[in-house]
Amino acid sequence: MKRIMNAAETLVAESLAGFVAAHEDLVAFGGGGRFVRRRTLSPGKVAVISGGGAGHEPLHCGFIGAGMLDAACTGHVFTSPTPDQILAAMDETDTGAGCLLVVKNYDGDVMNFEMAAEMAAGRHRVETVVVEDDAASGPSVRSRGRRGVAGTVVMEKILGAAAERGDGLGSLKALGEGLSGRLRSMGVALRGVTVPDNPRETFALGPEEMEIGVGIHGEPGLYRARLAGADEIVRLICEPILDQLGPAGAFRPLLIVNGFGGTPPIELHLAYGLARRHLAERGVAPARSLVGTFVTSLDMAGLSVTIALLSEDEYALWCAPVATPVLAW
């Protein structure tokens, strides 16, 4: 697999350096380069901190800025950041109101963020929200319960906006836990992942095969099926989400179509149109939408659909102003 890199060992560090340089009006390195933070912090607000392994860009660093994250910690490819990195981010971004940790439900991420929170005892007030939105997963080799996947963007945006308006730690934790049950995602892959130091894909698909229910670390899905047309592919990933969420009722539906890194915009917008049609057949009309590449699995060819049923307050928080390298409105 050809890559534009000097060495696998330096890829993440060099990429982060380029990212910070490209967005120096919004972000800066903190802790001697151990994490990325907002260039300008807001005194007196809860610091919202997230992170995970590299390979999911633009998650998480791409969502640092006003109305979203205060800091993000990046590990090596598909490897959790260390507790020391996370603690350093808390030390530098806590301006007096405490820290909220937003953590994808993978064992390494959960363990290291928990360790960092324990290390912060006596120095910071800390609460944690674990993102568990994958409709395809129960217990897996990387997590207990549902995995945290593309719905992480929804959680970071809504909690970041709530922190920006002045919500306290307890309110933010309750907000995140309330949203969790109304947030689901599911993905499909047409090609597996090649990590920088391994030329082989994490799983191999034949020319007429697709993998339904994949994770974002190259994990295989729930099952393998014969490659189908776009309408059938979108139906296969939308139906489990809608079944798990149930009727939208008075909630405001948010629809996100997310590319995994190897899928062009022409296919993502095609999938969005089909997803919207499938939702309409189930009586669900999106109040807001987002289409693009937000939570990747390096170069995986495929996409995911995320649906969130938002309360009026959550909907207002999603619509609230945001200024990050990736999201801005």
Side-chain angles (χ1 to χ4, degrees):
M1 180 66 185
K2 296 177 182 177
R3 291 192 183 277
I4 298 174
M5 65 180 186
N6 292 313
E9 297 78 15
T10 62
L11 174 60
V12 175
E14 290 181 296
S15 176
L16 284 174
F19 171 82
V20 170
H23 303 286
E24 59 185 1
D25 57 326
L26 295 173
V27 303
F29 276 120
R34 284 183 288 176
F35 61 90
V36 180
R37 47 158 281 187
R38 286 196 208 187
R39 179 163 289 279
T40 304
L41 298 173
S42 299
K45 71 173 281 296
V46 172
V48 183
I49 300 168
S50 192
H56 305 308
E57 291 76 17
L59 191 76
H60 297 270
C61 288
F63 302 111
I64 297 171
M68 215 156 172
L69 297 179
D70 291 277
C73 305
T74 302
H76 294 295
V77 173
F78 296 167
T79 303
S80 173
T82 65
D84 285 348
Q85 285 177 271
I86 302 160
L87 181 61
M90 288 192 274
D91 286 343
E92 196 163 314
T93 61
D94 185 355
T95 61
C99 302
L100 181 73
L101 308 180
V102 182
V103 186
K104 300 189 304 301
N105 190 31
Y106 287 92
D107 283 353
D109 288 356
V110 171
M111 178 181 67
N112 285 359
F113 275 87
E114 282 181 348
M115 288 178 63
E118 291 171 1
M119 292 162 63
R123 295 160 62 175
H124 305 284
R125 292 183 296 120
V126 182
E127 293 287 359
T128 299
V129 171
V130 178
V131 185
E132 305 176 89
D133 62 303
D134 187 5
S137 65
S140 75
V141 294
R142 287 182 176 266
S143 67
R144 302 182 187 90
R146 299 184 188 281
R147 298 175 295 214
V149 286
T152 306
V153 175
V154 181
M155 196 70 79
E156 291 179 349
K157 171 62 178 80
I158 287 175
L159 294 177
E164 204 73 46
R165 75 179 178 186
D167 287 20
L169 265 179
S171 295
L172 291 170
K173 182 175 177 64
L175 178 64
E177 290 179 344
L179 173 60
S180 183
R182 292 179 274 107
L183 177 62
R184 291 289 184 272
S185 304
M186 192 162 177
V188 58
L190 307 184
R191 186 185 68 238
V193 181
T194 52
V195 297
D197 56 356
N198 188 338
R200 290 179 294 182
E201 295 178 359
T202 53
F203 58 85
L205 292 172
E208 298 299 322
E209 291 182 318
M210 60 182 181
E211 194 82 12
I212 305 295
V214 294
I216 58 172
H217 296 89
E219 307 99 319
L222 285 173
Y223 61 94
R224 190 163 295 185
R226 184 174 178 80
L227 182 64
D231 191 67
E232 177 66 7
I233 291 173
V234 172
R235 184 190 70 79
L236 287 172
I237 59 176
C238 282
E239 288 301 315
I241 296 172
L242 292 168
D243 289 344
Q244 290 182 23
L245 288 175
F251 292 107
R252 300 275 201 121
L254 166 67
L255 171 61
I256 299 177
V257 173
N258 167 68
F260 283 147
T263 307
I266 191 171
E267 295 178 24
L268 297 179
H269 284 96
L270 167 64
Y272 171 80
L274 296 173
R276 193 172 181 114
R277 192 180 77 193
H278 283 295
L279 267 62
E281 291 170 356
R282 295 282 294 267
V284 178
R288 286 289 294 261
S289 301
L290 199 62
V291 182
T293 299
F294 307 106
V295 181
T296 61
S297 184
L298 284 172
D299 59 348
M300 182 187 282
L303 58 84
S304 63
V305 169
T306 297
I307 300 173
L309 301 182
L310 304 180
S311 68
E312 288 297 328
D313 184 51
E314 292 160 354
Y315 178 76
L317 290 168
W318 176 264
C319 297
V322 61
T324 73
V326 174
L327 293 187
W329 56 67

